[in-house]
Amino acid sequence: MADTANLEIGDQKYSLDVITGTEQEQAVDISRLRKESKLITFDDGYGNTGSCESSVTFIDGDKGILRYRGYDIAELAEKSTFLESAYLLLYGNLPSNAALQEFRKRVSEYCELPPEVLKAINAMPKSAHPMAVLASGLQALGGAYPEFSTNDREKDLEAFDQVAALIISTVRTIAAAHHRNSQDKELPQPDTSKSYCGNFLSMMFSEDDGTDEIPEPVQNALDQIFLLHADHEQNCSTSTCRMIASGGANPFASLAGGVSALWGPLHGGANMAVIKMLNEIHESGDDGSNFIESAKQGKSRLMGFGHRVYRNYDPRAKILKNASDQALEALGVSSPILDIARRLEEVALEDSYFIQRKLYPNVDFYSGIILQALGFPTNMFTVLFAIGRTPGWLSHWKEIAENGKKIHRPRQIYQGETLRPYLSLEER
Ligand code: ACO
Protein backbone atom coordinates (compact mmCIF):
# COMPACT_ATOMS: atom_id res chain seq x y z
CA MET A 1 0.00 0.00 0.00
CA ALA A 2 1.08 3.60 -0.60
CA ASP A 3 2.85 5.40 2.25
CA THR A 4 0.75 8.55 1.84
CA ALA A 5 -3.00 9.19 1.62
CA ASN A 6 -4.48 12.18 -0.16
CA LEU A 7 -7.39 14.05 1.30
CA GLU A 8 -9.35 16.59 -0.71
CA ILE A 9 -11.61 19.05 1.07
CA GLY A 10 -13.11 21.62 -1.32
CA ASP A 11 -10.22 22.86 -3.39
CA GLN A 12 -7.62 22.04 -0.71
CA LYS A 13 -5.48 18.92 -0.94
CA TYR A 14 -3.67 17.39 2.03
CA SER A 15 -1.09 14.66 1.92
CA LEU A 16 -1.23 12.42 5.01
CA ASP A 17 1.37 9.87 6.07
CA VAL A 18 0.36 6.21 6.26
CA ILE A 19 1.86 4.41 9.28
CA THR A 20 2.53 0.67 9.04
CA GLY A 21 2.85 -1.57 12.09
CA THR A 22 5.02 -4.66 12.45
CA GLU A 23 2.01 -6.86 11.61
CA GLN A 24 1.33 -4.71 8.50
CA GLU A 25 -1.64 -2.94 10.10
CA GLN A 26 -1.98 0.50 8.56
CA ALA A 27 -3.29 3.85 9.70
CA VAL A 28 -3.62 7.30 8.20
CA ASP A 29 -1.75 9.75 10.44
CA ILE A 30 -3.98 12.79 10.90
CA SER A 31 -1.96 14.37 13.74
CA ARG A 32 -1.06 17.44 11.62
CA LEU A 33 -4.48 17.77 9.95
CA ARG A 34 -5.98 20.32 12.35
CA LYS A 35 -2.94 22.54 12.19
CA GLU A 36 -3.03 22.50 8.40
CA SER A 37 -6.78 22.51 7.71
CA LYS A 38 -8.53 23.57 11.00
CA LEU A 39 -10.49 20.31 10.69
CA ILE A 40 -10.54 17.48 13.17
CA THR A 41 -11.64 13.91 12.44
CA PHE A 42 -14.79 12.57 14.09
CA ASP A 43 -15.06 9.00 15.36
CA ASP A 44 -17.66 8.67 18.11
CA GLY A 45 -16.49 5.92 20.49
CA TYR A 46 -13.04 5.64 18.83
CA GLY A 47 -14.04 2.50 16.84
CA ASN A 48 -11.81 3.58 13.97
CA THR A 49 -9.13 5.51 15.82
CA GLY A 50 -5.65 4.35 16.75
CA SER A 51 -4.86 6.19 19.97
CA CYS A 52 -1.21 5.13 20.25
CA GLU A 53 1.59 2.98 18.92
CA SER A 54 2.15 0.10 21.33
CA SER A 55 4.36 -2.96 21.48
CA VAL A 56 2.55 -4.83 24.26
CA THR A 57 -0.22 -6.91 22.65
CA PHE A 58 -1.35 -7.76 19.12
CA ILE A 59 -4.87 -8.84 18.20
CA ASP A 60 -6.26 -9.88 14.82
CA GLY A 61 -9.94 -10.46 15.52
CA ASP A 62 -10.76 -11.91 12.10
CA LYS A 63 -8.10 -14.58 12.42
CA GLY A 64 -8.62 -15.19 16.16
CA ILE A 65 -5.05 -14.12 17.00
CA LEU A 66 -4.00 -12.78 20.41
CA ARG A 67 -0.30 -12.38 21.21
CA TYR A 68 1.48 -10.91 24.23
CA ARG A 69 4.80 -9.37 23.12
CA GLY A 70 4.74 -11.65 20.04
CA TYR A 71 3.94 -14.89 21.90
CA ASP A 72 0.77 -16.73 20.92
CA ILE A 73 -1.81 -16.84 23.72
CA ALA A 74 -2.46 -20.59 23.24
CA GLU A 75 1.25 -21.37 23.68
CA LEU A 76 1.49 -19.16 26.75
CA ALA A 77 -1.64 -20.73 28.27
CA GLU A 78 -0.18 -24.19 27.74
CA LYS A 79 3.42 -23.56 28.78
CA SER A 80 3.57 -20.39 30.87
CA THR A 81 2.00 -19.18 34.11
CA PHE A 82 0.24 -15.98 35.07
CA LEU A 83 3.32 -14.56 36.81
CA GLU A 84 5.70 -15.48 33.99
CA SER A 85 3.33 -13.91 31.43
CA ALA A 86 3.00 -10.87 33.69
CA TYR A 87 6.80 -10.50 33.58
CA LEU A 88 6.70 -10.86 29.79
CA LEU A 89 4.09 -8.10 29.48
CA LEU A 90 5.91 -5.78 31.91
CA TYR A 91 9.42 -6.18 30.54
CA GLY A 92 8.94 -7.30 26.92
CA ASN A 93 10.76 -10.66 27.12
CA LEU A 94 10.33 -13.99 28.86
CA PRO A 95 12.41 -14.05 32.06
CA SER A 96 15.48 -16.20 32.65
CA ASN A 97 15.03 -18.74 35.44
CA ALA A 98 16.85 -16.44 37.90
CA ALA A 99 14.81 -13.38 36.86
CA LEU A 100 11.56 -15.33 37.23
CA GLN A 101 12.51 -16.55 40.72
CA GLU A 102 13.40 -13.03 41.75
CA PHE A 103 10.13 -11.65 40.35
CA ARG A 104 8.09 -14.36 42.13
CA LYS A 105 9.92 -13.61 45.38
CA ARG A 106 9.27 -9.87 45.05
CA VAL A 107 5.57 -10.48 44.35
CA SER A 108 5.18 -12.84 47.31
CA GLU A 109 7.07 -10.52 49.69
CA TYR A 110 4.58 -7.74 49.02
CA CYS A 111 1.49 -9.87 49.66
CA GLU A 112 0.58 -8.37 53.03
CA LEU A 113 -1.29 -5.07 53.10
CA PRO A 114 0.05 -2.17 55.17
CA PRO A 115 -2.14 -2.00 58.34
CA GLU A 116 -3.60 1.40 57.42
CA VAL A 117 -4.72 0.07 54.00
CA LEU A 118 -6.35 -2.97 55.62
CA LYS A 119 -8.04 -0.58 58.05
CA ALA A 120 -9.32 1.55 55.13
CA ILE A 121 -10.72 -1.56 53.40
CA ASN A 122 -12.40 -2.75 56.58
CA ALA A 123 -13.87 0.73 57.10
CA MET A 124 -15.77 0.47 53.80
CA PRO A 125 -19.39 -0.72 54.06
CA LYS A 126 -19.50 -4.54 54.03
CA SER A 127 -22.04 -4.22 51.21
CA ALA A 128 -19.64 -2.13 49.07
CA HIS A 129 -19.07 -3.57 45.61
CA PRO A 130 -15.66 -5.32 45.41
CA MET A 131 -14.70 -3.08 42.46
CA ALA A 132 -15.34 0.06 44.55
CA VAL A 133 -13.14 -1.42 47.27
CA LEU A 134 -10.40 -2.35 44.81
CA ALA A 135 -10.30 1.14 43.27
CA SER A 136 -10.20 2.77 46.72
CA GLY A 137 -7.74 0.17 48.00
CA LEU A 138 -5.30 0.99 45.20
CA GLN A 139 -5.44 4.69 45.99
CA ALA A 140 -4.96 3.92 49.70
CA LEU A 141 -1.99 1.72 48.80
CA GLY A 142 -0.41 4.61 46.88
CA GLY A 143 -0.98 6.74 49.99
CA ALA A 144 0.81 4.17 52.12
CA TYR A 145 3.83 4.27 49.79
CA PRO A 146 4.34 7.98 49.05
CA GLU A 147 7.87 7.26 47.80
CA PHE A 148 6.33 5.04 45.04
CA SER A 149 3.56 7.44 44.01
CA THR A 150 5.31 10.75 43.53
CA ASN A 151 3.83 11.77 40.14
CA ASP A 152 7.42 12.55 39.22
CA ARG A 153 7.88 10.34 36.16
CA GLU A 154 11.53 9.69 36.68
CA LYS A 155 11.08 8.65 40.31
CA ASP A 156 7.94 6.60 39.59
CA LEU A 157 9.77 4.80 36.79
CA GLU A 158 12.75 4.12 39.06
CA ALA A 159 10.37 2.47 41.53
CA PHE A 160 8.51 0.53 38.82
CA ASP A 161 9.94 -2.93 39.62
CA GLN A 162 8.81 -2.71 43.22
CA VAL A 163 5.51 -1.01 42.39
CA ALA A 164 4.56 -3.60 39.75
CA ALA A 165 5.26 -6.47 42.18
CA LEU A 166 3.45 -4.66 45.01
CA ILE A 167 0.32 -3.99 42.95
CA ILE A 168 0.18 -7.42 41.26
CA SER A 169 0.53 -9.00 44.70
CA THR A 170 -1.87 -6.87 46.68
CA VAL A 171 -4.80 -6.65 44.26
CA ARG A 172 -5.59 -10.23 45.37
CA THR A 173 -5.10 -9.34 49.06
CA ILE A 174 -7.45 -6.35 48.75
CA ALA A 175 -10.08 -8.56 47.07
CA ALA A 176 -9.73 -11.30 49.72
CA ALA A 177 -9.68 -8.79 52.61
CA HIS A 178 -13.00 -7.27 51.55
CA HIS A 179 -14.55 -10.69 50.94
CA ARG A 180 -13.54 -11.79 54.45
CA ASN A 181 -14.73 -8.54 55.98
CA SER A 182 -18.10 -8.82 54.23
CA GLN A 183 -18.48 -12.22 55.91
CA ASP A 184 -17.34 -10.96 59.34
CA LYS A 185 -14.25 -13.13 59.13
CA GLU A 186 -10.59 -12.31 59.75
CA LEU A 187 -8.23 -12.24 56.78
CA PRO A 188 -5.81 -15.17 57.33
CA GLN A 189 -2.08 -14.51 57.16
CA PRO A 190 -0.94 -14.88 53.55
CA ASP A 191 1.03 -18.09 52.98
CA THR A 192 3.94 -17.07 50.76
CA SER A 193 5.08 -20.67 50.36
CA LYS A 194 2.06 -21.19 48.09
CA SER A 195 1.66 -20.28 44.44
CA TYR A 196 0.13 -16.90 43.48
CA CYS A 197 -3.31 -18.49 43.06
CA GLY A 198 -2.91 -21.01 45.90
CA ASN A 199 -2.19 -18.18 48.33
CA PHE A 200 -5.10 -16.12 46.99
CA LEU A 201 -7.55 -19.04 47.19
CA SER A 202 -6.56 -19.79 50.77
CA MET A 203 -6.86 -16.10 51.77
CA MET A 204 -10.35 -16.24 50.26
CA PHE A 205 -11.67 -19.56 51.45
CA SER A 206 -9.49 -21.24 54.12
CA GLU A 207 -11.26 -22.16 57.33
CA ASP A 208 -9.90 -22.18 60.89
CA ASP A 209 -10.01 -25.98 60.81
CA GLY A 210 -7.32 -25.96 58.13
CA THR A 211 -9.57 -27.05 55.26
CA ASP A 212 -7.76 -25.01 52.71
CA GLU A 213 -6.21 -27.57 50.44
CA ILE A 214 -7.26 -26.42 47.01
CA PRO A 215 -6.80 -29.10 44.30
CA GLU A 216 -4.07 -28.26 41.79
CA PRO A 217 -6.30 -28.32 38.68
CA VAL A 218 -8.44 -25.68 40.41
CA GLN A 219 -5.42 -23.45 41.12
CA ASN A 220 -4.32 -23.99 37.52
CA ALA A 221 -7.73 -23.04 36.13
CA LEU A 222 -7.66 -19.76 38.06
CA ASP A 223 -4.07 -19.14 36.98
CA GLN A 224 -5.16 -19.62 33.36
CA ILE A 225 -8.10 -17.27 33.75
CA PHE A 226 -5.71 -14.59 35.06
CA LEU A 227 -3.18 -15.27 32.27
CA LEU A 228 -5.86 -15.10 29.56
CA HIS A 229 -7.13 -11.77 30.88
CA ALA A 230 -3.68 -10.22 31.40
CA ASP A 231 -3.89 -7.84 28.43
CA HIS A 232 -6.14 -7.09 25.48
CA GLU A 233 -4.53 -4.03 23.83
CA GLN A 234 -6.60 -0.84 23.72
CA ASN A 235 -9.99 -1.08 25.41
CA CYS A 236 -12.09 1.00 27.79
CA SER A 237 -10.05 0.30 30.95
CA THR A 238 -6.56 0.14 29.40
CA SER A 239 -7.11 3.32 27.44
CA THR A 240 -8.36 4.93 30.68
CA CYS A 241 -5.12 3.91 32.41
CA ARG A 242 -3.09 5.33 29.54
CA MET A 243 -5.12 8.53 29.54
CA ILE A 244 -4.54 9.05 33.28
CA ALA A 245 -0.85 8.14 32.93
CA SER A 246 -0.47 10.64 30.08
CA GLY A 247 -1.10 13.43 32.58
CA GLY A 248 1.83 12.19 34.66
CA ALA A 249 -0.16 10.36 37.33
CA ASN A 250 1.49 7.50 39.23
CA PRO A 251 0.62 3.80 38.63
CA PHE A 252 -1.68 3.52 41.69
CA ALA A 253 -3.87 6.40 40.48
CA SER A 254 -3.80 5.20 36.87
CA LEU A 255 -4.82 1.66 37.79
CA ALA A 256 -7.55 2.86 40.16
CA GLY A 257 -9.04 4.60 37.08
CA GLY A 258 -8.65 1.41 35.04
CA VAL A 259 -10.50 -0.57 37.71
CA SER A 260 -13.36 1.96 37.66
CA ALA A 261 -13.58 1.73 33.88
CA LEU A 262 -13.60 -2.07 33.95
CA TRP A 263 -16.47 -2.12 36.44
CA GLY A 264 -19.08 -1.21 33.79
CA PRO A 265 -21.38 -4.02 32.63
CA LEU A 266 -20.44 -3.49 28.99
CA HIS A 267 -16.81 -4.14 29.80
CA GLY A 268 -15.84 -6.35 32.74
CA GLY A 269 -19.32 -7.39 33.80
CA ALA A 270 -20.20 -9.95 31.07
CA ASN A 271 -18.95 -12.99 33.06
CA MET A 272 -21.49 -12.10 35.78
CA ALA A 273 -24.21 -11.75 33.14
CA VAL A 274 -23.58 -15.35 32.01
CA ILE A 275 -24.33 -16.71 35.49
CA LYS A 276 -27.36 -14.45 35.86
CA MET A 277 -28.69 -15.77 32.54
CA LEU A 278 -28.06 -19.41 33.51
CA ASN A 279 -29.84 -18.90 36.85
CA GLU A 280 -32.81 -17.28 35.15
CA ILE A 281 -33.08 -20.12 32.63
CA HIS A 282 -32.94 -22.65 35.48
CA GLU A 283 -35.54 -20.84 37.57
CA SER A 284 -37.92 -20.71 34.61
CA GLY A 285 -37.79 -24.52 34.31
CA ASP A 286 -36.26 -24.35 30.80
CA ASP A 287 -33.42 -26.68 29.80
CA GLY A 288 -31.99 -23.95 27.54
CA SER A 289 -34.00 -24.76 24.39
CA ASN A 290 -36.60 -22.02 24.88
CA PHE A 291 -33.88 -19.50 25.63
CA ILE A 292 -32.03 -20.33 22.42
CA GLU A 293 -35.26 -19.82 20.47
CA SER A 294 -35.90 -16.46 22.12
CA ALA A 295 -32.29 -15.39 21.37
CA LYS A 296 -32.83 -16.33 17.72
CA GLN A 297 -35.95 -14.21 17.63
CA GLY A 298 -33.96 -11.27 18.98
CA LYS A 299 -35.92 -11.28 22.26
CA SER A 300 -32.85 -12.04 24.39
CA ARG A 301 -29.08 -12.34 24.05
CA LEU A 302 -27.10 -15.44 24.70
CA MET A 303 -24.63 -13.93 27.16
CA GLY A 304 -21.04 -15.14 26.75
CA PHE A 305 -21.51 -15.55 23.00
CA GLY A 306 -20.23 -13.19 20.30
CA HIS A 307 -17.40 -10.67 20.40
CA ARG A 308 -16.86 -7.23 18.91
CA VAL A 309 -13.31 -8.04 17.81
CA TYR A 310 -13.13 -11.84 17.40
CA ARG A 311 -15.23 -12.93 14.42
CA ASN A 312 -14.00 -16.48 13.99
CA TYR A 313 -13.48 -17.59 17.54
CA ASP A 314 -12.18 -16.15 20.77
CA PRO A 315 -8.81 -17.93 21.25
CA ARG A 316 -9.12 -17.53 25.02
CA ALA A 317 -12.48 -19.33 25.09
CA LYS A 318 -11.07 -22.43 23.38
CA ILE A 319 -8.40 -22.69 26.08
CA LEU A 320 -10.75 -22.06 28.99
CA LYS A 321 -13.20 -24.69 27.82
CA ASN A 322 -10.57 -27.37 28.52
CA ALA A 323 -9.54 -25.75 31.79
CA SER A 324 -13.16 -25.57 32.89
CA ASP A 325 -13.75 -29.28 32.13
CA GLN A 326 -10.66 -30.23 34.17
CA ALA A 327 -11.46 -27.92 37.08
CA LEU A 328 -15.06 -29.12 37.28
CA GLU A 329 -13.92 -32.72 37.27
CA ALA A 330 -11.34 -32.02 40.01
CA LEU A 331 -13.97 -30.28 42.09
CA GLY A 332 -16.50 -33.03 41.42
CA VAL A 333 -19.00 -30.27 40.73
CA SER A 334 -22.22 -30.86 38.92
CA SER A 335 -25.14 -28.49 39.01
CA PRO A 336 -28.23 -27.89 36.90
CA ILE A 337 -26.70 -24.55 35.86
CA LEU A 338 -23.64 -26.25 34.43
CA ASP A 339 -25.85 -28.70 32.57
CA ILE A 340 -27.75 -25.78 31.06
CA ALA A 341 -24.47 -24.10 30.06
CA ARG A 342 -23.30 -27.27 28.30
CA ARG A 343 -26.62 -27.63 26.51
CA LEU A 344 -26.64 -23.99 25.38
CA GLU A 345 -23.13 -24.39 24.03
CA GLU A 346 -23.93 -27.65 22.19
CA VAL A 347 -27.11 -26.35 20.61
CA ALA A 348 -25.73 -22.92 19.67
CA LEU A 349 -22.60 -24.32 18.04
CA GLU A 350 -24.72 -26.38 15.67
CA ASP A 351 -27.48 -23.86 15.01
CA SER A 352 -27.40 -21.98 11.69
CA TYR A 353 -28.47 -18.71 13.37
CA PHE A 354 -25.29 -18.65 15.47
CA ILE A 355 -23.08 -20.14 12.74
CA GLN A 356 -24.15 -17.58 10.12
CA ARG A 357 -23.60 -14.67 12.51
CA LYS A 358 -20.26 -16.09 13.66
CA LEU A 359 -21.38 -16.23 17.26
CA TYR A 360 -19.09 -18.45 19.33
CA PRO A 361 -18.57 -18.70 23.08
CA ASN A 362 -16.30 -15.92 24.30
CA VAL A 363 -13.89 -15.95 27.26
CA ASP A 364 -16.66 -14.83 29.61
CA PHE A 365 -18.85 -17.87 28.94
CA TYR A 366 -16.34 -20.28 30.46
CA SER A 367 -14.68 -17.99 33.00
CA GLY A 368 -18.08 -17.30 34.61
CA ILE A 369 -18.76 -21.05 34.85
CA ILE A 370 -15.35 -21.83 36.39
CA LEU A 371 -15.49 -18.95 38.88
CA GLN A 372 -18.97 -20.01 39.98
CA ALA A 373 -17.78 -23.60 40.46
CA LEU A 374 -14.75 -22.40 42.46
CA GLY A 375 -17.16 -20.77 44.90
CA PHE A 376 -16.47 -17.11 44.15
CA PRO A 377 -19.51 -14.93 44.80
CA THR A 378 -20.88 -13.54 41.53
CA ASN A 379 -20.23 -9.93 42.54
CA MET A 380 -16.49 -10.74 42.69
CA PHE A 381 -16.22 -11.87 39.06
CA THR A 382 -15.26 -8.45 37.75
CA VAL A 383 -12.62 -8.06 40.46
CA LEU A 384 -11.08 -11.35 39.32
CA PHE A 385 -10.95 -9.96 35.79
CA ALA A 386 -9.20 -6.89 37.26
CA ILE A 387 -6.62 -9.03 39.09
CA GLY A 388 -5.81 -10.73 35.78
CA ARG A 389 -5.67 -7.45 33.85
CA THR A 390 -3.34 -5.75 36.36
CA PRO A 391 -0.04 -6.65 34.58
CA GLY A 392 -1.47 -5.35 31.29
CA TRP A 393 -2.49 -2.03 32.82
CA LEU A 394 0.96 -1.69 34.44
CA SER A 395 2.68 -2.45 31.13
CA HIS A 396 0.69 0.26 29.39
CA TRP A 397 1.44 2.70 32.24
CA LYS A 398 5.14 1.95 31.75
CA GLU A 399 4.93 2.38 27.99
CA ILE A 400 3.38 5.83 28.42
CA ALA A 401 5.77 6.82 31.21
CA GLU A 402 8.79 5.80 29.12
CA ASN A 403 7.70 7.11 25.74
CA GLY A 404 4.64 9.34 26.09
CA LYS A 405 5.39 12.92 25.30
CA LYS A 406 1.98 14.57 25.28
CA ILE A 407 -0.98 14.62 27.62
CA HIS A 408 -3.91 12.89 25.88
CA ARG A 409 -6.50 15.42 24.91
CA PRO A 410 -9.21 14.45 22.40
CA ARG A 411 -11.26 17.13 20.65
CA GLN A 412 -15.02 17.31 20.19
CA ILE A 413 -17.70 18.69 17.92
CA TYR A 414 -19.74 21.04 20.04
CA GLN A 415 -23.50 20.66 19.46
CA GLY A 416 -24.81 22.81 22.34
CA GLU A 417 -26.32 26.30 22.54
CA THR A 418 -24.47 29.11 20.83
CA LEU A 419 -23.72 32.35 22.74
CA ARG A 420 -26.69 33.49 24.85
CA PRO A 421 -27.15 36.69 26.85
CA TYR A 422 -27.19 36.18 30.62
CA LEU A 423 -30.60 37.16 32.03
CA SER A 424 -31.02 38.31 35.62
CA LEU A 425 -33.35 36.30 37.93
CA GLU A 426 -36.15 38.85 37.34
CA GLU A 427 -35.80 38.62 33.56
CA ARG A 428 -36.01 34.78 33.39
N1 ACO B 1 -27.03 -13.75 21.24
C1 ACO B 1 -27.90 -13.74 20.21
N2 ACO B 1 -27.73 -13.00 19.09
C2 ACO B 1 -26.63 -12.25 19.03
C3 ACO B 1 -25.66 -12.24 20.06
C4 ACO B 1 -25.90 -13.03 21.18
N3 ACO B 1 -25.01 -13.06 22.19
N4 ACO B 1 -24.65 -11.41 19.72
C5 ACO B 1 -24.97 -10.91 18.52
N5 ACO B 1 -26.16 -11.43 18.11
C6 ACO B 1 -26.82 -11.20 16.81
C7 ACO B 1 -27.44 -9.83 16.74
O1 ACO B 1 -28.78 -9.85 17.19
C8 ACO B 1 -27.31 -9.52 15.27
O2 ACO B 1 -28.31 -10.24 14.59
P1 ACO B 1 -29.00 -9.62 13.25
O3 ACO B 1 -27.87 -9.52 12.26
O4 ACO B 1 -30.05 -10.59 12.88
O5 ACO B 1 -29.53 -8.28 13.67
C9 ACO B 1 -25.97 -10.14 14.90
O6 ACO B 1 -25.79 -11.21 15.85
C10 ACO B 1 -24.79 -9.17 15.01
O7 ACO B 1 -24.82 -8.62 16.30
P2 ACO B 1 -24.11 -7.27 16.73
O8 ACO B 1 -24.81 -6.73 17.94
O9 ACO B 1 -23.95 -6.38 15.53
O10 ACO B 1 -22.69 -7.75 17.14
P3 ACO B 1 -21.65 -6.84 17.87
O11 ACO B 1 -20.34 -7.16 17.33
O12 ACO B 1 -22.06 -5.43 17.86
O13 ACO B 1 -21.75 -7.33 19.37
C11 ACO B 1 -21.30 -8.31 21.41
C12 ACO B 1 -20.78 -8.03 20.01
C13 ACO B 1 -21.65 -7.00 22.13
C14 ACO B 1 -20.21 -9.02 22.25
C15 ACO B 1 -22.55 -9.22 21.29
O14 ACO B 1 -22.24 -10.40 20.59
C16 ACO B 1 -23.18 -9.51 22.63
O15 ACO B 1 -23.99 -8.72 23.14
N6 ACO B 1 -22.82 -10.69 23.26
C17 ACO B 1 -23.34 -11.03 24.54
C18 ACO B 1 -22.62 -10.26 25.64
C19 ACO B 1 -21.21 -10.76 25.91
O16 ACO B 1 -20.96 -11.96 26.04
N7 ACO B 1 -20.26 -9.82 26.05
C20 ACO B 1 -18.87 -10.15 26.36
C21 ACO B 1 -17.96 -9.91 25.21
S1 ACO B 1 -16.32 -10.51 25.59
C22 ACO B 1 -15.60 -9.36 26.55
O17 ACO B 1 -16.00 -8.24 26.60
C23 ACO B 1 -14.41 -9.75 27.41
Side-chain angles (χ1 to χ4, degrees):
M1 200 193 258
D3 52 10
T4 54
N6 297 314
L7 177 67
E8 218 173 304
I9 305 169
D11 55 3
Q12 292 294 317
K13 286 187 181 154
Y14 303 94
S15 171
L16 304 166
D17 292 342
V18 172
I19 303 174
T20 304
T22 52
E23 292 285 349
Q24 307 313 310
E25 290 178 304
Q26 294 201 297
V28 177
D29 180 355
I30 51 97
S31 51
R32 285 180 295 114
L33 186 64
R34 183 169 174 275
K35 207 169 170 190
E36 292 174 9
S37 69
K38 294 201 166 56
L39 286 168
I40 60 168
T41 54
F42 181 69
D43 179 20
D44 195 4
Y46 309 125
N48 203 47
T49 295
S51 61
C52 60
E53 291 180 277
S54 175
S55 56
V56 181
T57 288
F58 172 68
I59 295 177
D60 184 330
D62 293 331
K63 295 186 184 145
I65 292 175
L66 167 61
R67 292 184 202 140
Y68 297 163
R69 302 281 190 186
Y71 291 93
D72 185 67
I73 192 68
E75 198 174 5
L76 289 173
E78 190 195 333
K79 298 175 183 165
S80 182
T81 60
F82 172 59
L83 281 191
E84 187 186 65
S85 295
Y87 184 102
L88 169 69
L89 287 166
L90 295 171
Y91 299 109
N93 290 302
L94 285 170
S96 65
N97 193 18
L100 181 60
Q101 297 319 322
E102 199 190 314
F103 181 61
R104 280 207 187 115
K105 188 163 167 271
R106 218 181 304 136
V107 170
S108 76
E109 277 170 2
Y110 275 123
C111 184
E112 229 169 301
L113 290 170
E116 60 273 44
V117 177
L118 188 58
K119 218 167 150 191
I121 289 167
N122 290 341
M124 301 265 301
K126 291 185 197 309
S127 59
H129 193 283
M131 288 297 270
V133 176
L134 183 59
S136 318
L138 278 169
Q139 292 282 25
L141 196 64
Y145 287 92
E147 69 281 22
F148 287 170
S149 51
T150 64
N151 288 356
D152 172 327
R153 250 195 197 154
E154 235 170 80
K155 287 189 186 150
D156 287 346
L157 269 173
E158 261 170 41
F160 183 77
D161 291 352
Q162 286 103 306
V163 169
L166 167 68
I167 296 181
I168 288 171
S169 195
T170 48
V171 280
R172 67 192 160 153
T173 322
I174 294 171
H178 178 58
H179 174 67
R180 288 282 178 167
N181 188 39
S182 69
Q183 301 203 321
D184 290 318
K185 289 182 179 165
E186 287 285 310
L187 178 71
Q189 274 300 106
D191 181 348
T192 52
S193 68
K194 290 188 168 145
S195 67
Y196 182 86
C197 287
N199 191 356
F200 174 47
L201 286 165
S202 69
M203 282 194 280
M204 282 288 302
F205 299 122
S206 73
E207 295 296 338
D208 298 339
D209 60 7
T211 49
D212 65 347
E213 274 325 305
I214 315 281
E216 218 171 293
V218 175
Q219 297 185 35
N220 293 345
L222 187 60
D223 195 81
Q224 263 198 347
I225 291 181
F226 289 155
L227 185 156
L228 294 170
H229 283 86
D231 197 43
H232 214 236
E233 55 122 287
Q234 304 315 308
N235 53 67
C236 178
S237 57
T238 303
S239 301
T240 300
C241 271
R242 291 184 74 113
M243 173 74 88
I244 298 173
S246 80
N250 64 72
F252 302 88
S254 303
L255 266 75
V259 169
S260 303
L262 185 73
W263 188 359
L266 296 184
H267 190 13
N271 49 12
M272 285 169 59
V274 171
I275 298 303
K276 189 167 168 272
M277 173 190 75
L278 294 174
N279 279 326
E280 281 169 7
I281 294 173
H282 176 55
E283 279 157 22
S284 72
D286 178 17
D287 69 349
S289 320
N290 294 340
F291 191 85
I292 291 268
E293 281 314 307
S294 90
K296 284 162 67 175
Q297 288 162 20
K299 291 183 192 154
S300 50
R301 286 232 147 175
L302 185 50
M303 300 313 287
F305 268 66
H307 198 278
R308 178 54 60 78
V309 177
Y310 298 116
R311 293 300 184 184
N312 247 325
Y313 64 93
D314 179 342
R316 303 166 299 173
K318 255 190 173 175
I319 300 159
L320 269 195
K321 181 177 165 41
N322 289 338
S324 88
D325 287 345
Q326 283 168 20
L328 298 182
E329 203 186 310
L331 286 165
V333 177
S334 76
S335 86
I337 286 173
L338 294 172
D339 294 340
I340 291 170
R342 289 201 176 106
R343 178 160 173 74
L344 286 176
E345 184 194 345
E346 258 171 41
V347 174
L349 287 177
E350 287 185 1
D351 191 300
S352 59
Y353 172 93
F354 294 92
I355 294 170
Q356 278 161 15
R357 288 168 182 75
K358 300 188 172 183
L359 299 170
Y360 302 92
N362 60 48
V363 68
D364 289 322
F365 190 71
Y366 299 111
S367 61
I369 292 170
I370 300 178
L371 296 175
Q372 153 106 354
L374 293 184
F376 283 101
T378 318
N379 75 347
M380 277 195 78
F381 287 11
T382 317
V383 137
L384 297 163
F385 187 157
I387 294 173
R389 185 54 56 86
T390 295
W393 287 331
L394 285 162
S395 310
H396 287 272
W397 180 90
K398 185 164 173 259
E399 199 168 66
I400 285 276
E402 284 174 344
N403 308 317
K405 291 172 191 74
K406 290 192 249 180
I407 185 167
H408 291 188
R409 200 325 186 163
R411 302 254 167 198
Q412 64 164 19
I413 297 294
Y414 176 69
Q415 301 283 21
E417 297 285 350
T418 53
L419 184 63
R420 295 196 276 182
Y422 180 85
L423 302 177
S424 67
L425 277 176
E426 294 74 40
E427 289 169 314
R428 273 174 241 167

